[in-house]
Amino acid sequence: MQYVVMDLEWNNVYSIKRSGFMNEVIEIGAVRLDEQLREIDTFSHLIKSQIGKRLRGHVRALTHLTNEDLQSGTPFTQTMAQFRKWIGNGPVTVLTWGDTDIRVLIENFKLFNGFDTLPFLTYYADLQKIVQAALHLSTTQQTGLSAAAAMLGIGEDGLSLHRALDDSLLSAECLRRVFSENLVEQLTLPCGEEFYERLRFKAYIISDIHNPNVDPERMRCFCDQCGREAQQKSDWIFTCRAFRAKFFCPHCKRPLQHTVRFKQYYDRLDIHSKTVYLEPPKEEEQASKKAPPRMETAMKL
Ligand SMILES: [Zn+2]
């Protein structure tokens, strides 16, 4: 299997057609590696912008590209046709640092070419995930390319960071340092329907207590002191992106507040819960607290 490590630069622009902001790709860089991870070829193209006529300040500062550069490239559709040809038909795994570049590319393909899949993509792997796994970093954090390169002892001399080709060369070096065929294979995805479904899926917090994934078992509250099950003393309310209710431990005479948050991902559900001691309200406040909970947020499980 050969590898193509790809990187994009983009400009945040307002699209009238989509009546909203989007990221317009302005540069693509890629390096092709053989089975032994030796560099075979590179691809580097500026893309002539069709929506944004001016670069945003932070993009200009980051990339050192100019508004003139933006006009000097070839349009997106032509550049991508060349890129597809460059990738060829052999088995290739495309890698990017994090999957944002792939998402942005799909967005651009949809707008300029009218379809929402990438014709050059047959296998894909997120290089950030590979490096994080190899370095035993937590999957909840997102390590930047520069930070990862530093951790791997890779110097950035002679590279212009935040330019597409140099970022892809640096990414390729990260791949070389951590490479194991098993690990890469494990994290390589075939780019069929499920691949795009997964990318399109937006993780969300469950706010409806009747959602079948809200497991009543996970809503039970156990005393933080004695570990016995506490009694529920209020309806559940949804607040601060979580379900919350008051409980009471009869053994410790301890008022408790139990909070449970359900976050739905494409293929997993994250459940976070915590139980804290609930300080009883002071005498003078109690009078004003008599109002019943608001109807729209009070829920029975
Ligand atoms: Zn207790």
Side-chain angles (χ1 to χ4, degrees):
M1 180 78 83
Q2 291 196 345
Y3 303 95
V4 165
V5 184
M6 181 187 83
D7 185 76
L8 306 173
E9 303 302 327
W10 65 77
N11 190 29
N12 192 248
V13 296
Y14 186 81
S15 158
I16 295 167
K17 194 167 158 188
R18 298 188 33 172
S19 33
F21 281 92
M22 66 164 290
N23 296 310
E24 183 176 20
V25 179
I26 54 172
E27 189 181 36
I28 176 168
V31 52
R32 189 186 188 96
L33 310 173
D34 67 10
E35 287 82 354
Q36 277 76 48
L37 305 184
R38 286 175 303 216
E39 184 179 322
I40 306 174
D41 199 7
T42 59
F43 184 93
S44 175
H45 279 250
L46 280 172
I47 295 173
K48 185 186 168 109
S49 77
Q50 293 162 78
I51 304 175
K53 294 298 166 217
R54 300 184 66 77
L55 284 170
R56 300 219 151 223
H58 73 273
V59 180
R60 218 166 43 224
L62 212 61
T63 59
H64 301 294
L65 285 168
T66 63
N67 290 323
E68 290 72 49
D69 289 333
L70 219 58
Q71 292 312 313
S72 72
T74 7
F76 180 82
T77 303
Q78 275 162 264
T79 311
M80 282 303 142
Q82 287 172 23
F83 185 62
R84 187 181 179 177
K85 219 162 138 192
W86 181 78
I87 285 207
N89 293 320
V92 173
T93 300
V94 174
L95 300 103
T96 58
W97 191 265
D99 64 14
T100 314
D101 276 0
I102 291 294
R103 293 169 188 276
V104 168
L105 209 48
I106 292 172
E107 194 183 19
N108 280 251
F109 256 88
K110 203 170 183 173
L111 188 73
F112 297 123
N113 297 357
F115 40 87
D116 49 12
T117 57
L118 304 177
F120 60 83
L121 208 59
T122 42
Y123 292 98
Y124 171 76
D126 181 345
L127 184 53
Q128 187 182 45
K129 275 192 185 158
I130 293 172
V131 171
Q132 291 199 154
L135 293 174
H136 305 290
L137 300 171
S138 153
T139 49
T140 52
Q141 68 186 84
Q142 304 245 305
T143 312
L145 174 59
S146 268
M151 278 183 239
L152 292 167
I154 304 168
E156 293 168 1
D157 307 345
L159 292 178
S160 317
L161 293 189
H162 304 298
R163 284 299 300 272
L165 179 59
D166 281 357
D167 275 0
S168 68
L169 289 169
L170 188 61
S171 303
E173 189 53 32
C174 289
L175 177 65
R176 282 190 195 101
R177 300 287 173 109
V178 304
F179 188 80
S180 100
E181 212 169 318
N182 267 345
L183 177 62
V184 174
E185 237 168 64
Q186 245 174 53
L187 291 169
T188 297
L189 305 165
C191 303
E193 212 166 294
E194 196 198 326
F195 172 79
Y196 291 101
E197 240 171 57
R198 183 187 289 264
L199 274 180
R200 276 191 289 266
F201 189 88
K202 285 198 175 80
Y204 63 92
I205 300 279
I206 295 176
S207 60
D208 175 8
I209 203 147
H210 301 298
N211 185 303
N213 281 333
V214 174
D215 179 2
E217 203 50 36
R218 302 303 298 257
M219 308 297 266
R220 291 166 71 190
C221 169
F222 297 90
C223 176
D224 59 339
Q225 295 270 297
C226 71
R228 290 180 170 90
E229 183 158 11
Q231 299 165 347
Q232 190 170 349
K233 292 295 177 192
S234 76
D235 286 342
W236 289 100
I237 59 163
F238 182 73
T239 178
C240 300
R241 295 159 46 90
F243 298 111
R244 180 177 289 173
K246 287 173 184 156
F247 281 80
F248 186 75
C249 172
H251 182 254
C252 308
K253 307 272 178 282
R254 203 171 158 76
L256 299 163
Q257 178 177 273
H258 189 51
T259 308
V260 192
R261 195 194 76 162
F262 294 86
K263 189 165 185 183
Q264 184 71 62
Y265 291 91
Y266 180 77
D267 50 5
R268 71 190 158 93
L269 180 70
D270 265 11
I271 307 172
H272 283 280
S273 60
K274 70 172 181 200
T275 305
V276 294
Y277 171 65
L278 190 65
E279 217 163 306
K282 294 190 186 87
E283 295 275 329
E284 61 266 32
E285 279 175 27
Q286 251 166 353
S288 61
K289 287 265 169 76
K290 286 218 172 108
R294 284 190 304 160
M295 287 317 289
E296 69 268 26
T297 51
M299 294 166 288
K300 285 226 179 345
L301 187 62

